[in-house]
mmCIF file of all heavy atoms in Angstrom:
data_model
loop_
_atom_site.group_PDB
_atom_site.id
_atom_site.type_symbol
_atom_site.label_atom_id
_atom_site.label_comp_id
_atom_site.label_asym_id
_atom_site.label_seq_id
_atom_site.Cartn_x
_atom_site.Cartn_y
_atom_site.Cartn_z
ATOM 1 N N VAL A 228 -19.955 7.842 -16.234
ATOM 2 C CA VAL A 228 -20.397 6.483 -15.834
ATOM 3 C C VAL A 228 -19.356 5.828 -15.070
ATOM 4 O O VAL A 228 -19.500 5.126 -14.075
ATOM 5 C CB VAL A 228 -20.824 5.578 -17.063
ATOM 6 C CG1 VAL A 228 -21.014 4.215 -16.617
ATOM 7 C CG2 VAL A 228 -22.059 6.196 -17.773
ATOM 8 N N SER A 229 -18.046 5.975 -15.551
ATOM 9 C CA SER A 229 -16.974 5.427 -14.911
ATOM 10 C C SER A 229 -16.741 5.937 -13.446
ATOM 11 O O SER A 229 -16.620 5.196 -12.523
ATOM 12 C CB SER A 229 -15.595 5.618 -15.627
ATOM 13 O OG SER A 229 -15.743 5.096 -16.821
ATOM 14 N N LEU A 230 -16.935 7.266 -13.261
ATOM 15 C CA LEU A 230 -16.814 7.874 -11.951
ATOM 16 C C LEU A 230 -17.950 7.447 -11.015
ATOM 17 O O LEU A 230 -17.741 7.223 -9.829
ATOM 18 C CB LEU A 230 -16.763 9.408 -12.034
ATOM 19 C CG LEU A 230 -15.384 9.876 -12.680
ATOM 20 C CD1 LEU A 230 -15.523 11.397 -12.917
ATOM 21 C CD2 LEU A 230 -14.306 9.580 -11.802
ATOM 22 N N THR A 231 -19.173 7.515 -11.506
ATOM 23 C CA THR A 231 -20.307 7.092 -10.756
ATOM 24 C C THR A 231 -20.228 5.548 -10.324
ATOM 25 O O THR A 231 -20.636 5.192 -9.308
ATOM 26 C CB THR A 231 -21.580 7.374 -11.378
ATOM 27 O OG1 THR A 231 -21.591 6.760 -12.709
ATOM 28 C CG2 THR A 231 -21.911 8.862 -11.621
ATOM 29 N N SER A 232 -19.646 4.803 -11.255
ATOM 30 C CA SER A 232 -19.437 3.362 -10.940
ATOM 31 C C SER A 232 -18.390 3.206 -9.837
ATOM 32 O O SER A 232 -18.520 2.323 -9.026
ATOM 33 C CB SER A 232 -19.066 2.575 -12.111
ATOM 34 O OG SER A 232 -20.110 2.690 -13.157
ATOM 35 N N LEU A 233 -17.349 4.061 -9.927
ATOM 36 C CA LEU A 233 -16.331 4.018 -8.914
ATOM 37 C C LEU A 233 -16.933 4.351 -7.510
ATOM 38 O O LEU A 233 -16.753 3.639 -6.551
ATOM 39 C CB LEU A 233 -15.270 4.937 -9.161
ATOM 40 C CG LEU A 233 -14.056 5.220 -8.187
ATOM 41 C CD1 LEU A 233 -13.360 3.878 -7.921
ATOM 42 C CD2 LEU A 233 -13.136 6.377 -8.566
ATOM 43 N N ILE A 234 -17.711 5.312 -7.488
ATOM 44 C CA ILE A 234 -18.386 5.714 -6.244
ATOM 45 C C ILE A 234 -19.359 4.623 -5.744
ATOM 46 O O ILE A 234 -19.374 4.281 -4.572
ATOM 47 C CB ILE A 234 -19.110 7.098 -6.333
ATOM 48 C CG1 ILE A 234 -18.009 8.159 -6.636
ATOM 49 C CG2 ILE A 234 -19.812 7.417 -5.047
ATOM 50 C CD1 ILE A 234 -16.909 8.378 -5.593
ATOM 51 N N ALA A 235 -20.165 4.126 -6.709
ATOM 52 C CA ALA A 235 -21.080 3.075 -6.336
ATOM 53 C C ALA A 235 -20.382 1.871 -5.763
ATOM 54 O O ALA A 235 -20.962 1.160 -4.923
ATOM 55 C CB ALA A 235 -21.932 2.646 -7.515
ATOM 56 N N SER A 236 -19.196 1.640 -6.259
ATOM 57 C CA SER A 236 -18.464 0.403 -5.846
ATOM 58 C C SER A 236 -17.988 0.587 -4.305
ATOM 59 O O SER A 236 -17.560 -0.414 -3.707
ATOM 60 C CB SER A 236 -17.162 0.084 -6.730
ATOM 61 O OG SER A 236 -16.240 1.225 -6.475
ATOM 62 N N LEU A 237 -18.087 1.837 -3.832
ATOM 63 C CA LEU A 237 -17.687 2.052 -2.496
ATOM 64 C C LEU A 237 -18.788 1.858 -1.520
ATOM 65 O O LEU A 237 -18.586 1.926 -0.237
ATOM 66 C CB LEU A 237 -17.095 3.463 -2.346
ATOM 67 C CG LEU A 237 -15.944 3.832 -3.083
ATOM 68 C CD1 LEU A 237 -15.520 5.303 -2.948
ATOM 69 C CD2 LEU A 237 -14.757 2.929 -2.821
ATOM 70 N N HIS A 238 -20.026 1.581 -1.958
ATOM 71 C CA HIS A 238 -21.129 1.463 -0.964
ATOM 72 C C HIS A 238 -20.944 0.252 0.002
ATOM 73 O O HIS A 238 -21.667 0.240 1.023
ATOM 74 C CB HIS A 238 -22.437 1.345 -1.775
ATOM 75 C CG HIS A 238 -23.042 2.690 -2.130
ATOM 76 N ND1 HIS A 238 -23.601 3.480 -1.243
ATOM 77 C CD2 HIS A 238 -22.940 3.243 -3.288
ATOM 78 C CE1 HIS A 238 -24.002 4.578 -1.835
ATOM 79 N NE2 HIS A 238 -23.630 4.471 -3.164
ATOM 80 N N PHE A 239 -20.110 -0.711 -0.384
ATOM 81 C CA PHE A 239 -19.846 -1.781 0.622
ATOM 82 C C PHE A 239 -19.161 -1.257 1.847
ATOM 83 O O PHE A 239 -19.206 -1.993 2.891
ATOM 84 C CB PHE A 239 -19.051 -2.865 -0.042
ATOM 85 C CG PHE A 239 -17.687 -2.526 -0.293
ATOM 86 C CD1 PHE A 239 -16.673 -2.873 0.686
ATOM 87 C CD2 PHE A 239 -17.238 -1.893 -1.423
ATOM 88 C CE1 PHE A 239 -15.302 -2.607 0.494
ATOM 89 C CE2 PHE A 239 -15.889 -1.516 -1.644
ATOM 90 C CZ PHE A 239 -14.924 -1.903 -0.706
ATOM 91 N N LEU A 240 -18.585 -0.047 1.812
ATOM 92 C CA LEU A 240 -17.866 0.501 2.977
ATOM 93 C C LEU A 240 -18.804 0.953 4.109
ATOM 94 O O LEU A 240 -18.326 1.490 5.077
ATOM 95 C CB LEU A 240 -16.988 1.633 2.499
ATOM 96 C CG LEU A 240 -15.835 1.321 1.530
ATOM 97 C CD1 LEU A 240 -14.999 2.459 1.055
ATOM 98 C CD2 LEU A 240 -14.879 0.229 2.203
ATOM 99 N N ASP A 241 -20.187 0.859 3.810
ATOM 100 C CA ASP A 241 -21.042 1.116 4.987
ATOM 101 C C ASP A 241 -20.957 -0.050 5.994
ATOM 102 O O ASP A 241 -21.721 -0.100 7.002
ATOM 103 C CB ASP A 241 -22.485 1.330 4.497
ATOM 104 C CG ASP A 241 -23.200 -0.002 4.147
ATOM 105 O OD1 ASP A 241 -22.466 -0.899 3.853
ATOM 106 O OD2 ASP A 241 -24.379 0.096 4.025
ATOM 107 N N LEU A 242 -20.112 -1.057 5.695
ATOM 108 C CA LEU A 242 -19.899 -2.171 6.640
ATOM 109 C C LEU A 242 -21.056 -3.050 6.732
ATOM 110 O O LEU A 242 -21.183 -3.950 7.606
ATOM 111 C CB LEU A 242 -19.466 -1.696 8.009
ATOM 112 C CG LEU A 242 -18.305 -0.788 8.073
ATOM 113 C CD1 LEU A 242 -17.983 -0.412 9.515
ATOM 114 C CD2 LEU A 242 -17.071 -1.328 7.433
ATOM 115 N N GLY A 243 -22.145 -2.954 5.910
ATOM 116 C CA GLY A 243 -23.272 -3.812 5.927
ATOM 117 C C GLY A 243 -24.187 -3.391 7.008
ATOM 118 O O GLY A 243 -25.180 -4.115 7.235
ATOM 119 N N ILE A 244 -24.076 -2.159 7.606
ATOM 120 C CA ILE A 244 -24.800 -1.739 8.690
ATOM 121 C C ILE A 244 -26.234 -1.576 8.308
ATOM 122 O O ILE A 244 -27.207 -1.927 9.019
ATOM 123 C CB ILE A 244 -24.212 -0.514 9.429
ATOM 124 C CG1 ILE A 244 -22.797 -0.750 9.915
ATOM 125 C CG2 ILE A 244 -25.135 -0.026 10.534
ATOM 126 C CD1 ILE A 244 -22.676 -1.866 10.887
ATOM 127 N N GLY A 245 -26.440 -0.995 7.075
ATOM 128 C CA GLY A 245 -27.777 -0.679 6.625
ATOM 129 C C GLY A 245 -28.580 -1.907 6.563
ATOM 130 O O GLY A 245 -29.752 -1.982 6.935
ATOM 131 N N ASN A 246 -28.005 -2.954 5.852
ATOM 132 C CA ASN A 246 -28.735 -4.210 5.709
ATOM 133 C C ASN A 246 -28.964 -4.928 7.090
ATOM 134 O O ASN A 246 -29.986 -5.583 7.269
ATOM 135 C CB ASN A 246 -28.049 -5.133 4.717
ATOM 136 C CG ASN A 246 -28.114 -4.612 3.325
ATOM 137 O OD1 ASN A 246 -28.986 -3.925 2.936
ATOM 138 N ND2 ASN A 246 -27.103 -4.928 2.557
ATOM 139 N N GLY A 247 -27.955 -4.816 7.867
ATOM 140 C CA GLY A 247 -28.158 -5.383 9.202
ATOM 141 C C GLY A 247 -29.283 -4.751 10.011
ATOM 142 O O GLY A 247 -29.990 -5.312 10.799
ATOM 143 N N LEU A 248 -29.330 -3.385 9.813
ATOM 144 C CA LEU A 248 -30.469 -2.673 10.441
ATOM 145 C C LEU A 248 -31.818 -3.116 9.996
ATOM 146 O O LEU A 248 -32.734 -3.234 10.842
ATOM 147 C CB LEU A 248 -30.299 -1.171 10.216
ATOM 148 C CG LEU A 248 -31.327 -0.246 10.798
ATOM 149 C CD1 LEU A 248 -31.330 -0.305 12.322
ATOM 150 C CD2 LEU A 248 -31.177 1.306 10.263
ATOM 151 N N VAL A 249 -31.967 -3.453 8.725
ATOM 152 C CA VAL A 249 -33.305 -3.887 8.222
ATOM 153 C C VAL A 249 -33.683 -5.222 8.931
ATOM 154 O O VAL A 249 -34.792 -5.304 9.419
ATOM 155 C CB VAL A 249 -33.226 -4.184 6.610
ATOM 156 C CG1 VAL A 249 -34.393 -4.919 6.170
ATOM 157 C CG2 VAL A 249 -33.060 -2.818 5.911
ATOM 158 N N THR A 250 -32.748 -6.214 8.953
ATOM 159 C CA THR A 250 -33.104 -7.375 9.554
ATOM 160 C C THR A 250 -33.390 -7.177 11.124
ATOM 161 O O THR A 250 -34.353 -7.827 11.640
ATOM 162 C CB THR A 250 -31.867 -8.365 9.392
ATOM 163 O OG1 THR A 250 -31.631 -8.552 7.977
ATOM 164 C CG2 THR A 250 -32.131 -9.848 10.015
ATOM 165 N N SER A 251 -32.597 -6.485 11.783
ATOM 166 C CA SER A 251 -32.801 -6.331 13.182
ATOM 167 C C SER A 251 -34.035 -5.503 13.484
ATOM 168 O O SER A 251 -34.805 -5.834 14.445
ATOM 169 C CB SER A 251 -31.535 -5.532 13.843
ATOM 170 O OG SER A 251 -30.318 -6.240 13.598
ATOM 171 N N LEU A 252 -34.370 -4.486 12.739
ATOM 172 C CA LEU A 252 -35.614 -3.715 12.868
ATOM 173 C C LEU A 252 -36.882 -4.565 12.620
ATOM 174 O O LEU A 252 -37.845 -4.539 13.361
ATOM 175 C CB LEU A 252 -35.564 -2.506 12.032
ATOM 176 C CG LEU A 252 -35.003 -1.281 12.450
ATOM 177 C CD1 LEU A 252 -35.152 -0.122 11.409
ATOM 178 C CD2 LEU A 252 -35.644 -0.804 13.775
ATOM 179 N N ALA A 253 -36.739 -5.546 11.564
ATOM 180 C CA ALA A 253 -37.857 -6.403 11.294
ATOM 181 C C ALA A 253 -38.136 -7.403 12.475
ATOM 182 O O ALA A 253 -39.323 -7.569 12.898
ATOM 183 C CB ALA A 253 -37.518 -7.273 10.091
ATOM 184 N N GLU A 254 -37.028 -7.784 13.097
ATOM 185 C CA GLU A 254 -37.198 -8.612 14.378
ATOM 186 C C GLU A 254 -37.829 -7.827 15.506
ATOM 187 O O GLU A 254 -38.752 -8.391 16.137
ATOM 188 C CB GLU A 254 -35.882 -9.356 14.732
ATOM 189 C CG GLU A 254 -35.391 -10.329 13.735
ATOM 190 C CD GLU A 254 -33.943 -10.837 14.088
ATOM 191 O OE1 GLU A 254 -33.478 -10.330 15.055
ATOM 192 O OE2 GLU A 254 -33.514 -11.709 13.452
ATOM 193 N N ALA A 255 -37.344 -6.678 15.785
ATOM 194 C CA ALA A 255 -37.777 -5.798 16.828
ATOM 195 C C ALA A 255 -39.259 -5.472 16.579
ATOM 196 O O ALA A 255 -40.122 -5.466 17.521
ATOM 197 C CB ALA A 255 -36.915 -4.563 16.992
ATOM 198 N N HIS A 256 -39.619 -5.244 15.343
ATOM 199 C CA HIS A 256 -41.052 -4.845 14.951
ATOM 200 C C HIS A 256 -41.891 -6.116 15.253
ATOM 201 O O HIS A 256 -43.071 -5.923 15.690
ATOM 202 C CB HIS A 256 -41.147 -4.413 13.569
ATOM 203 C CG HIS A 256 -42.441 -4.030 13.106
ATOM 204 N ND1 HIS A 256 -43.273 -3.223 13.800
ATOM 205 C CD2 HIS A 256 -43.182 -4.513 11.993
ATOM 206 C CE1 HIS A 256 -44.466 -3.084 13.105
ATOM 207 N NE2 HIS A 256 -44.372 -3.868 12.021
#
C-alpha cells in the first residue's frame, strides 16, 4: 500500500495535461 501510494502521489507529474485535454476536447467537440 505504501509503495502504490508513493507511485499514485506522482500522478500530478503529468503536468495536468490529461485534465486540460478533457476541457479542451469538450470545447472542440
